[in-house]
Structure formats: structure tokens, C-alpha cells
């Protein structure tokens, strides 16, 4: 199954580059999925309803020994990977597989040609949807640079393969092979491509980013960094701006380009009123829904039902969004937005960041988790700091990406913003979710430049600039303390969150300049 063609003849059959109708047919016939009333293909992913970063391993060899960020990645030997690879090949013998030849990256200069083998038809449709589909004429001469083998029915042997459990994602950067076994969660495939691009592109002067992006009519590109559930997909799907992509992009010498050809939206509580474009895209033939609950009689999707998981997902081609870019490319950004779903209710709905503060918050990668979104969480919010807003996908030291962002912001005179899509009026369980209308109004003002001209205050806890008023936005919501009934409790909670930031950032202090260290929030400021 390597690029040399050793996979030929080993399997019962390989279906090459099938489109949605054929993949629907195979998937339904095999009982892999069912149809919704609207024609979407609906599949369950079983035990794994999200990625399993603890089961992801990279080969440690001469290629990666000095270059990998081993503090954030787990290693296996070349010998262990080879044993795993051979066992994958043996497991695939006699099976009918599905293969897709695709591109990771909309810019031909930097894209990676990717061949993906799957044992499930719906997985083949998923990755065909999420990556970029070559023109038919390009397929005849397609030579893959990266090969992914995805077999959920495979079970790894921890002793033999050097891994943690029967579930595995193993990457060999020297051979450019990714092996995925044990999990039916399709998102592991797309993130393996992202991880690969994160490894190779910085050396080519391209910053890979876990972000969504859109562009206005004047070529004013905006990128939105954020962890899962913070609003990357929702906020970038703006009917007044062209969508470039919802999750993964590169920022290189010629501007921004999408890594993907589809969107992967979190769809718990998805509604026509709040997110009309995503709602419409998820209710048509060609969409792939994961772990969504259907009415037994009508097959209507109940997007409010999170009984299987809060991480319900909808995958659909980019062209399902009417105003999506057909090229996946755009000019250099004029605005960088960092999204945080602050479940402590402390952060303002928007703040303007200096370049040093932007690097600080980029390396911090803050959001918060709440009960119900992940196993084992109690009733209190839990902070999550995922550096560069994508720690599980970073093969290189975070400072590599942080320094690239700092340089790009300075080179292109970019405005930077921190946006809280989380809670206001109190922490989770007391306050309420930030109104999406408020977030959209503030973002619109930031992106069209009008927010630069309002009066700002300096936040006493975090030191960034916060607008004091904006037409159409309640003034009290701009200052979080004014939304809390218990002001003493707000101060206590804010100080605690500042302390969490400081504790988390300690590991980066030796790798950043003095101005970035000075951009840290300071509890002492609140006492003055």
C-alpha cells in the first residue's frame, strides 16, 4: 500500500475515486449508515465520538529526532511502525477498500497529494468531502506524496506496536504514511493531513493555522483561531463575506489558502435561525452527519439531542455554502481574531490586542470546557489551554508557529482581537451564553474598521483594550463585571483565571521576548 504500488492484488477489490451517489449506495447496502429525511448520510462512530490524542504516535528516527516537539508528541520506533504497517496490510487482505486521490491545500505550490484508503464507504465520502477534489484530468497522472490507511476494524497490539491501546494513529514522516485503526471517528483522517502540513510547511515559509477564514468585498481577509466549540465555523459563515474555509489554512508569501475543500461543523443545537447556512448545508444530499439522533418514524434530524455526544458533526462540501470561495485563496489578512469560549464569564465580548498580547494569547490558546462536553467533567468549568489553538496537531515546537505569527502580524500591519463566545453575567451554570447577535455586531465593527474609532478602556485584569460603547450593543455587556450580580465573586473568579493563565504560560517564558512576557495578565493590576 505504499506509493510504490505494493498494495496491488492484495485485496478483494479497490474502488477508486467514487463520488457521493456510489458511496451512498455502498454505505447503505453495508449497513454503515442511514438516510435522514433530507438526504444526508447519517453514521454513528461508536465508542469514539471525537479524536483520541493519547493514541497518536509519531516515528522517532533521523528525520524527526531533532525536529519534533516531543514534549507534545508520543514516539514509536521505525521497527514498531513497520510491524504495525505489515499487520495493517495483512488485516486488509481479502477486503474491499475505497480509495480517494485528493489534495491537502488549495495553493498548488504548497499542497500535498494525498491518497486515502478506507474500509468504510462513508469514511471515503467523508474524506472526499473534507479534502480538495482534483479535476478528472488530473487523476490520470496522480502520484501521491502522502498515503493514509484508515481501518476502524483493525486492533493494535500495544506490546507489539509500542502504542497505548487497540486504537492507534501512527505517522511516519520519512515514509509519509499514516495508519489509523480502532476508531470509527472520521475526523482522525483530516487531522492527520493537517498534522502533516504542520510539519512540512514552516520550512517553506508558510504558517499552518487551525483557523477559519473569510474575506470581504474589499479583499480584507480575516482569520479566526479557536478550539472546538468556540465558533470558528459559525462566525466565518457570514452571508456578507466570502467564506474561504472553516478549519485549516496556510498563510504564506502570497496570502491565505484553505487546506480543505469542505466544512466540518459542530451541529449540537444547530438551528435555521442562528446558523442558516450551516443548517441548510446539513439538510441535503451529500452531507455526512455523525452521531446525530433521528426520529425513528420521520427520519428528521434532532440537532438538539446530545444523548450520543455533544460533539455531533456535519461534514459538507464548501460549495454547499452559497458565498464560499471557489479558489480557496485570499489576500494577506487585515484582522486576526482569537476565539475563546470563556465558561468563567470573565473575559469581555471583544478586546483589542497589541502584537505582544496577540502572541501571548496565541501561545496560550485558551478556552474552557463545561459539563456535558467531555467525559469526567464535573459541574465547574475547566480551563483548556491548547497552544496555538491546536496543540494535538503540532509536530514542531509551538514557538516556531508563534514566531511566524508575530512576524506576519508585523509585516502586514494586522489588527488582532480576542473574542469571548462563552458566558456573560456569571460563570457557566449562573450566567448565560454570549448572545450571537452581540458577537456578530462586534466582529462586523472590528472587520469593517469602525471599532478602531471608539473609546477603549484598559482591562484591569488582562491589560488589553476593551471598547466602552458601540451602537447597537448594550454597554453593560462590554464590561463583564457589570453583568454580574455578585461583584466580589467576579473579582475572585477573574483573579483565579489570571492565575491559570500565568501558571500555563510558565513553560513558554524562556522562549519568548520580554515584551511578550510583559503582555501577561497581572493580578497586581487588579489591586491598584
Amino acid at each position: 500500500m505504499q506509493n510504490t504500488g505494493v498494495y496491488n492484488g492484495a485485496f478483494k477489490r479497490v474502488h477508486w475515486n467514487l463520488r457521493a451517489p456510489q458511496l451512498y449506495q455502498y454505505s447503505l447496502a453495508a449497513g454503515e449508515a442511514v438516510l435522514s429525511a433530507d438526504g444526508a448520510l447519517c453514521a454513528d462512530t461508536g465508542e469514539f465520538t471525537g479524536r483520541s490524542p493519547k493514541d497518536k504516535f509519531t516515528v522517532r528516527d533521523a528525520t524527526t529526532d531533532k525536529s519534533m516537539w516531543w514534549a507534545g508528541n508520543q514516539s514509536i520506533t521505525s521497527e514498531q511502525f513497520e510491524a504495525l504497517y505489515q499487520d495493517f496490510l495483512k488485516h486488509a487482505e481479502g477486503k474491499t477498500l475505497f480509495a480517494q486521490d485528493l489534495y491537502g491545500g488549495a495553493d498548488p505550490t504548497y499542497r500535498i497529494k494525498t491518497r486515502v484508503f478506507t474500509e468504510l464507504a462513508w469514511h471515503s465520502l467523508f474524506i472526499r468531502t473534507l479534502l480538495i477534489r482534483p479535476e478528472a484530468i488530473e487523476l490520470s497522472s496522480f502520484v501521491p506524496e502522502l498515503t493514509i490507511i484508515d481501518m476502524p476494524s483493525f486492533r493494535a497490539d500495544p506490546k507489539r506496536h509500542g502504542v497505548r491501546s487497540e486504537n492507534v494513529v501512527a505517522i511516519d514522516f520519512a515514509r509519509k504514511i499514516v495508519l489509523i485503526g480502532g476508531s470509527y471517528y472520521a475526523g482522525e483522517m483530516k487531522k492527520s493531513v493537517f498534522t502533516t502540513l504542520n510539519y512540512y510547511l514552516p520550512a517553506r515559509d508558510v504558517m499552518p493555522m487551525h483557523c477559519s477564514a473569510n474575506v470581504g468585498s474589499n479583499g480584507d481577509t480575516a482569520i479566526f483561531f479557536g478550539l472546538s466549540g468556540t465558533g470558528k465555523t459559525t462566525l466565518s459563515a457570514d452571508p456578507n463575506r466570502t467564506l474561504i474555509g472553516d478549519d485549516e489554512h496556510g498563510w504564506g508569501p502570497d496570502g491565505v489558502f484553505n487546506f480543505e475543500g469542505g466544512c466540518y461543523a459542530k451541529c449540537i443545537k444547530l438551528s435555521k435561525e442562528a446558523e442558516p447556512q450551516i443548517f441548510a448545508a446539513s439538510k441535503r444530499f451529500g452531507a455526512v452527519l455523525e452521531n446525530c439522533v433521528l426520529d425513528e418514524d420521520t427520519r428528521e434530524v434532532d440537532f438538539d439531542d446530545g444523548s450520543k455526544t455533544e460533539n455531533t458533526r456535519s461534514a459538507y462540501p464548501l460549495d454547499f455554502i452559497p458565498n464560499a470561495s471557489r479558489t480557496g485563496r485570499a489576500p494577506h489578512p487585515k484582522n486576526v481574531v482569537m476565539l475563546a469560549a470563556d465558561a468563567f464569564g470573565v473575559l469581555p465580548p471583544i478586546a483589542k490586542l497589541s502584537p505582544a498580547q496577540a502572541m501571548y494569547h496565541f501561545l496560550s490558546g485558551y478556552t474552557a470546557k463545561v459539563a456535558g462536553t467531555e467525559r469526567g467533567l464535573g459541574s465547574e468549568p475547566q480551563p483548556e489551554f491548547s497552544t496555538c489553538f491546536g496543540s494535538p496537531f503540532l509536530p514542531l515546537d509551538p514557538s516556531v508557529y508563534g514566531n511566524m505569527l508575530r512576524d506576519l502580524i508585523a509585516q502586514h500591519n494586522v489588527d488582532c482581537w480576542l473574542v469571548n463566545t462563552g458566558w456573560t453575567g456569571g460563570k457557566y451554570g449562573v450566567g448565560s451564553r454570549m448572545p450571537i447577535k452581540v458577537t456578530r455586531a462586534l466582529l462586523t465593527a472590528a472587520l469593517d474598521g469602525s471599532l478602531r474609532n471608539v473609546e477603549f478602556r484598559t482591562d484591569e485584569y488582562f491589560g488589553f483594550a476593551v471598547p466602552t460603547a458601540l451602537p447597537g450593543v448594550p454597554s453593560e455587556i462590554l464590561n463583564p463585571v457589570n453583568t454580574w450580580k455578585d461583584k466580589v465573586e467576579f473579582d475572585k473568579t477573574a483573579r483565579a483565571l489570571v492565575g491559570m493563565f500565568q501558571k500555563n504560560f510558565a513553560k513558554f517564558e524562556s522562549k519568548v521576548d520580554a515584551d511578550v512576557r510583559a503582555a501577561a495578565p497581572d493580578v497586581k493590576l487588579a489591586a491598584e
Side-chain angles (χ1 to χ4, degrees), residues 390-401:
S391 179
F393 323 120
L394 302 184
L396 308 179
D397 191 281
S399 62
V400 172
Y401 309 101

Side-chain angles (χ1 to χ4, degrees), residues 176-511:
K176 294 185 179 178
I177 298 174
V178 179
L179 306 174
I180 303 171
S183 174
Y184 286 81
Y185 182 69
E188 296 282 17
M189 289 183 286
K190 88 181 209 85
K191 288 306 184 188
S192 295
V193 177
F194 185 44
T195 300
T196 301
L197 289 169
N198 283 346
Y199 182 77
Y200 290 110
L201 288 184
R204 303 184 67 189
D205 201 26
V206 175
M207 179 186 175
M209 304 176 293
H210 186 210
C211 71
S212 59
N214 62 27
V215 61
S217 57
N218 296 322
D220 54 317
T221 304
I223 56 178
F224 303 79
F225 289 104
L227 299 174
S228 175
T230 57
K232 291 195 310 299
T233 301
T234 299
L235 295 172
S236 58
D238 184 332
N240 299 312
R241 296 172 64 83
T242 298
L243 176 68
I244 306 167
D246 83 321
D247 195 41
E248 302 169 4
H249 294 80
W251 185 354
D254 299 320
V256 169
F257 63 96
N258 194 358
F259 287 170
E260 301 186 307
C263 297
Y264 193 35
K266 197 167 184 177
C267 56
I268 190 70
K269 302 191 187 321
L270 179 65
S271 71
K272 184 177 182 180
E273 294 71 30
E275 300 169 87
Q277 292 185 327
I278 299 172
F279 185 83
S282 303
K283 292 173 71 66
R284 58 182 285 188
F285 180 89
V288 180
L289 303 182
E290 288 182 341
N291 301 311
C292 292
V293 175
L294 303 182
D295 183 277
E296 291 185 6
D297 296 323
T298 67
R299 293 287 179 93
E300 290 287 345
V301 183
D302 183 357
F303 289 117
D304 292 329
D305 192 331
S307 58
K308 294 180 181 178
T309 175
E310 291 282 321
N311 192 36
T312 55
R313 292 279 181 166
S314 171
Y316 48 86
L318 259 173
D319 59 19
F320 278 20
I321 301 296
N323 59 324
S325 168
R326 294 303 181 257
T327 67
R329 302 171 70 177
H332 294 287
K334 295 189 176 179
N335 288 278
V336 166
V337 180
M338 300 182 191
L339 304 171
D342 177 27
F344 295 95
V346 166
L347 295 181
I350 196 167
K352 193 171 190 309
L353 305 177
S354 69
Q357 289 170 336
M359 187 169 177
Y360 179 90
H361 284 277
F362 179 69
L363 289 175
S364 296
Y366 166 72
T367 193
K369 298 177 180 179
V370 297
T373 61
E374 191 171 292
R375 291 179 182 177
L377 289 180
S379 58
E380 291 296 310
Q382 298 295 322
E384 180 180 12
F385 293 96
S386 184
T387 186
C388 306
F389 295 97
S391 179
F393 323 120
L394 302 184
L396 308 179
D397 191 281
S399 62
V400 172
Y401 309 101
N403 288 330
M404 293 188 80
L405 180 65
R406 178 196 60 198
D407 294 344
L408 286 164
I409 287 172
Q411 182 180 349
H412 300 288
N413 194 28
V414 180
D415 284 337
C416 301
W417 309 88
L418 181 68
V419 171
N420 175 20
T421 60
W423 273 255
T424 183
K427 60 186 177 182
Y428 172 79
V430 177
S432 57
R433 196 75 191 252
M434 190 73 68
I436 193 168
K437 290 183 178 180
V438 168
T439 302
R440 286 198 182 279
L442 290 167
L443 270 177
T444 297
L447 301 189
D448 68 19
S450 59
L451 195 58
R452 298 192 199 103
N453 303 319
V454 306
E455 183 180 345
F456 286 82
R457 67 176 177 85
T458 299
D459 186 87
E460 56 200 310
Y461 297 93
F462 285 84
F464 41 48
V466 181
T468 58
L470 186 75
V473 176
S475 58
E476 64 273 8
I477 207 170
L478 293 170
N479 191 345
V481 68
N482 293 336
T483 67
W484 282 54
K485 292 181 180 179
D486 189 336
K487 313 301 185 190
V488 173
E489 183 63 22
F490 173 85
D491 179 70
K492 177 182 176 183
T493 306
R495 289 171 177 270
L497 183 59
V498 167
M500 296 172 199
F501 267 86
Q502 293 173 329
K503 181 180 179 181
N504 170 73
F505 202 78
K507 58 181 174 286
F508 300 120
E509 288 182 347
S510 64
K511 297 184 178 182

